[in-house]
Amino acid sequence: MNIHKAAIPVMLASLLAFAAPAIGEDLDGASLYAQRTCIACHGPDAKTPILPEYPKLAGQNPAYMLQQMLDIKSGARSNGNTPAMRGVMHLVTEDEMKVLADWISSLD
Ligand code: HEC
């Protein structure tokens, strides 16, 4: 069986998403990052992505990250890597994206 390498993180994320609590529940950035599967692709410290073509996020500007997440979710941002990320964006609300962006930007 020939599984394309880009499919592996998507499968990992789907497995994690299975255990995710209800959307809309009030969670802090670190909990959201772990429970909404971000950790599977972007790494525990948000700067060791599981594939080299995936972005490092730690310390990035929160306003930029929020905009990218919205654009990825809406489809306004679309390239060869976008489908992997878009596949999990139904797990996060815009409010949760803001909490995530603030928390990730605070990392070194
Ligand atoms: C299945 C893998 C995967 C998961 C899970 C994932 N991402 Fe991503 N993420 C990516 C990829 C790949 C990109 C680059 C997409 C592109 O180039 O359009 C990306 C892009 C981003 C960007 C834009 C980075 C930039 O420099 O422009 C942010 C911010 C981000 N992800 C945050 C998150 C957050 C927060 C979560 C959890 C809700 C998450 N990601 C879950 C794979 C993933």
Side-chain angles (χ1 to χ4, degrees):
M1 191 164 64
N2 184 13
I3 299 178
H4 190 270
K5 68 180 172 163
I8 293 168
V10 177
M11 291 188 293
L12 272 175
S14 319
L15 282 174
L16 279 173
F18 211 61
I23 293 177
E25 197 180 306
D26 250 354
L27 293 173
D28 62 20
S31 306
L32 283 171
Y33 186 80
Q35 295 184 9
R36 301 290 194 258
T37 76
C38 323
I39 196 167
C41 292
H42 294 289
D45 58 2
K47 61 181 174 194
T48 44
I50 57 163
L51 291 176
E53 59 264 47
Y54 287 6
K56 299 179 182 180
L57 307 173
Q60 183 58 272
N61 296 327
Y64 170 77
M65 285 195 283
L66 175 61
Q67 191 60 56
Q68 297 315 304
M69 287 189 266
L70 290 169
D71 286 353
I72 289 169
K73 187 171 187 173
S74 75
R77 172 168 166 173
S78 185
N79 63 51
N81 282 329
T82 317
M85 168 84 180
R86 186 178 306 130
V88 303
M89 291 313 282
H90 66 282
L91 296 173
V92 283
T93 64
E94 185 168 346
D95 284 345
E96 289 172 341
M97 288 181 212
K98 286 180 190 151
V99 174
L100 280 161
D102 284 343
W103 180 74
I104 296 167
S105 74
S106 75
L107 302 175
D108 278 336

